[in-house]
Amino acid sequence: MSAESTELPPRRRRGNATFWLGLILVGVIVLAGIVSFFWTPYALSDMAGGRLEAPSAAHWAGTDRLGRDLFTQLMIGARIALIVGCGAVAIGAVIGVATGILAAFATRFLDDALAAFFDILIAFPTLLIAMLVVAAREEASLGTAILALGIGLSPIVGRITRILTKQVLGQDYITAARVSGTSWGAIVYWHILPNIVPFLGVNLALQFGLAVMAEASLSYLGLGAPPPNASWGRMLQEAQGTVYTAPWGAVLPGLALFALVIGINLLADGLRDRFDPARRDG
Amino acid sequence: MMGDLLTVRGLTLATPDKVLVEDLSFSIAPGERFGLIGESGSGKSLTSLAVTGLLEPSIRPAGSITLAGEEIIGAPEKRLVRMRGDAVATVFQEPLTALDPLMPLGRQIAGPVRRRLKRKGQDAGRAAVAREVQTLLEQVRLPEPERLIRSYPHEVSGGQRQRVAIAMALACQPRLLIADEPTTALDVTTQAEIVRLITALVEDLGIALLFISHDLAVVGQVAERVMVMRDGRSIETGPAQQVLTRPEDSYTRSLVAAARRFDQALEGQP
């Protein structure tokens, strides 16, 4: 420990600051999402307020065109953003890591084929893939959106996993493990996964942010979770027509989206700085 | 020849456009300490990889390598996995990269211990493995084993790392230990300790040793028999004493002379 703290004090401090800022941003949104299950200021479809009211003590974030409370919608939007982000990243990670490791281990032909496949899928816009999946399922639902975004993210995760795995495979400790008779399965579990996760984790956080934004885009296009679910993307779409008369309707969900995405990235960065015991490249 | 642990006959290693090792033959008896001397690029390390069946797919082996009665060249991966560890284990040049940076040292030693116990059908429970790890750490004379098993590779010194790597190799209880330039990455005093440790351990445990180095003095200390390699070919083979004091080949003579000049320069003699 002592060697570590004398080594790089400035970077450590910076790591701490980003970590805490990220934790606070993400923490507030996660809290809002969890609380929304038990309590919201108003019911989602409760048209109690006047039309397009400005933020006030009664309606902390104002109201929309139908007089519904925007703060309630923001809280439920937080829940949906988190569910979509976690779900999409989980699906993307499982598919991506599995195919990425397969590609890294494969013979030259299969490896090339998978690498090309990843590249083609990446060049294909995630949103378009998501729209195709939604079209194929013939209905827009939260589950469809999660599945679609997860599939859309998987080639990015796959490509990074493939490269990281190849890097680790070239290390001496893999040769050392093989020399002592470790099977490939055990090498993947004990040596490859732990060594790619610190790098992959940061990227998955980035993907989480992209998934949340892509969900907002899908909802904006009417392909996300159907009403009455309030997603930040749908809030943006509904506020579109009144952005000049009631700007808070668009600004607040936009800010929430921004805070979540930047918070996740800072948190991931800070976590990597804290918990990567090797920090090989200083 | 039948009693030999390792027999290499007519080993040729080549990529499609280059011959890297040509017509190499040598053998190591059980418990014997054999030294492989050569400059970098002479094919020493490739030879050791060929013995463990870990050559890159682009390098084609020809000839024959028999280890503990089994042919290595052309053997299916499944049989090789079983032989590695059981018949042969390796200590590498750079212990920092030969250890997993994200795994505590104790767990890295425990891995091969557990595999060996399972393979032999013995108790591979947590306590039994921990006991073995403890014994191994004592065997390689590492201080503060309690702290060490929880440390990561970057938290201990180079010499300690190499001792851990040796413990990992011994954990397999191999019949042949390959030491591929095990002292090159270490400072001079640590080098001497590691060389003494390896020599004492293989002698005590009756393990045969294939010691690879470019350092004549180190090989002279360790090996009973040596082979000198140059450009992938064997130049001279014989008892260490004879090859290193009365070399027959002109290349070996120049190596010995250069080593002697270097020693004299260090001691300040003309």
Side-chain angles (χ1 to χ4, degrees):
Chain A
M1 277 320 278
S2 62
E4 211 173 54
S5 51
T6 52
E7 214 175 323
L8 290 163
R11 178 167 165 167
R12 229 176 148 64
R13 270 201 295 279
R14 193 205 62 133
N16 269 339
T18 56
F19 174 79
W20 286 111
L21 185 58
L23 190 68
I24 290 168
L25 287 174
V26 174
V28 165
I29 291 167
V30 169
L31 198 68
I34 292 172
V35 170
S36 78
F37 280 106
F38 311 106
W39 176 85
T40 48
Y42 296 84
L44 189 58
S45 50
D46 186 352
M47 298 179 224
R51 300 182 63 228
L52 298 172
E53 276 182 33
S56 64
H59 298 281
W60 299 339
T63 59
D64 69 1
R65 270 181 313 174
L66 301 173
R68 294 177 302 189
D69 183 50
L70 281 178
F71 195 80
T72 304
Q73 295 187 35
L74 280 175
M75 283 177 73
I76 290 177
R79 178 211 294 176
I80 289 178
L82 291 167
I83 291 174
V84 169
C86 292
V89 166
I91 292 173
V94 168
I95 301 176
V97 169
T99 49
I101 289 181
L102 180 70
F105 273 94
T107 54
R108 193 159 295 165
F109 176 75
L110 181 60
D111 181 25
D112 286 349
L114 278 171
F117 186 63
F118 290 151
D119 286 346
I120 292 168
L121 276 184
I122 289 168
F124 217 72
T126 304
L127 213 53
L128 201 54
I129 296 176
M131 287 166 75
L132 286 175
V133 174
V134 171
R137 294 279 300 262
E138 288 179 348
E139 53 150 1
S141 74
L142 197 60
T144 312
I146 291 172
L147 182 68
L149 293 173
I151 292 172
L153 294 180
S154 61
I156 305 174
V157 180
R159 184 161 79 164
I160 294 162
T161 305
R162 173 177 167 269
I163 293 166
L164 288 172
T165 306
K166 289 204 159 200
Q167 243 168 37
V168 172
L169 278 176
Q171 299 286 326
D172 286 351
Y173 56 86
I174 298 297
T175 315
R178 292 190 63 198
V179 162
S180 71
T182 318
S183 65
W184 278 121
I187 288 178
V188 168
Y189 184 77
W190 289 111
H191 297 296
I192 292 179
L193 285 178
N195 274 289
I196 65 175
V197 158
F199 302 95
L200 200 59
V202 174
N203 187 265
L204 286 181
L206 199 73
Q207 303 303 326
F208 185 100
L210 289 177
V212 169
M213 287 206 283
E215 188 278 331
S217 308
L218 276 182
S219 292
Y220 182 87
L221 295 170
L223 295 169
N229 287 311
S231 120
W232 291 338
R234 259 232 341 284
M235 292 175 72
L236 282 170
Q237 182 210 17
E238 284 176 5
Q240 188 172 221
T242 57
V243 69
Y244 294 110
T245 48
W248 52 87
V251 168
L252 291 172
L255 275 180
L257 199 56
F258 174 70
L260 179 58
V261 173
I262 202 109
I264 288 277
N265 281 305
L266 292 178
L267 187 63
D269 241 14
L271 276 180
R272 186 194 48 186
D273 284 355
R274 287 188 148 213
F275 291 118
D276 181 4
R279 236 187 284 143
R280 274 160 294 185
D281 21 56
Chain B
M1 285 301 255
M2 264 319 285
D4 283 336
L5 180 61
L6 173 71
T7 312
V8 175
R9 245 174 323 199
L11 178 69
T12 299
L13 303 174
T15 61
D17 42 56
K18 202 169 173 231
V19 176
L20 302 163
V21 169
E22 201 172 355
D23 198 20
L24 202 67
S25 297
F26 64 95
S27 60
I28 302 178
E32 185 184 23
R33 300 192 304 275
F34 188 83
L36 204 53
I37 303 173
E39 295 167 331
S40 41
S42 60
K44 318 178 294 267
S45 293
L46 274 179
T47 306
S48 83
L49 282 179
V51 168
T52 47
L54 283 175
L55 287 171
E56 278 178 52
S58 60
I59 301 176
R60 295 244 166 271
S64 153
I65 299 173
T66 327
L67 179 61
E70 292 201 58
E71 178 62 47
I72 297 289
I73 292 180
E77 179 70 17
K78 208 170 171 183
R79 204 164 84 222
L80 289 175
V81 168
R82 189 166 43 74
M83 292 203 64
R84 291 180 201 133
D86 187 31
V88 59
T90 305
V91 176
F92 291 93
Q93 175 171 347
E94 174 50 82
L96 185 57
T97 57
L99 297 171
D100 188 331
L102 297 185
M103 195 187 275
L105 296 172
R107 265 180 49 205
Q108 306 209 32
I109 303 174
V113 168
R114 194 175 306 114
R115 265 199 308 284
R116 189 196 74 220
L117 292 175
K118 272 192 188 149
R119 195 171 50 219
K120 304 233 163 115
Q122 291 163 346
D123 171 25
R126 192 181 284 256
V129 172
R131 225 172 16 247
E132 289 259 351
V133 170
Q134 192 75 28
T135 314
L136 284 162
L137 288 174
E138 281 161 22
Q139 271 185 334
V140 296
R141 286 167 224 150
L142 273 163
E144 296 181 76
E146 289 304 316
R147 183 183 67 87
L148 216 103
I149 53 175
R150 280 192 304 273
S151 300
Y152 289 93
H154 72 283
E155 293 174 328
V156 303
S157 74
Q160 288 177 331
R161 278 197 286 267
Q162 194 59 293
R163 282 166 198 268
V164 171
I166 294 171
M168 281 175 71
L170 291 180
C172 306
Q173 291 188 353
R175 280 184 275 172
L176 172 67
L177 178 70
I178 299 178
D180 188 354
E181 304 255 9
T183 60
T184 311
L186 307 171
D187 63 67
V188 178
T189 38
T190 318
Q191 275 187 14
E193 286 171 22
I194 294 290
V195 165
R196 271 200 300 276
L197 178 70
I198 292 179
T199 317
L201 282 172
V202 294
E203 207 155 274
D204 288 352
L205 302 170
I207 301 173
L209 177 69
L210 173 57
F211 193 95
I212 300 172
S213 181
H214 65 270
D215 190 330
L216 288 180
V218 171
V219 176
Q221 262 181 297
V222 176
E224 299 158 322
R225 235 153 39 85
V226 298
M227 178 167 82
V228 182
M229 280 182 78
R230 185 190 193 186
D231 298 334
R233 289 168 162 278
S234 162
I235 300 279
E236 189 168 359
T237 312
Q241 197 62 25
Q242 182 195 321
V243 173
L244 298 179
T245 53
R246 297 184 304 281
E248 281 169 12
D249 183 84
S250 61
Y251 174 68
T252 318
R253 266 203 294 278
S254 71
L255 275 185
V256 172
R260 217 167 267 155
R261 270 201 304 280
F262 183 66
D263 282 349
Q264 283 165 355
L266 279 184
E267 287 159 16
Q269 292 169 0

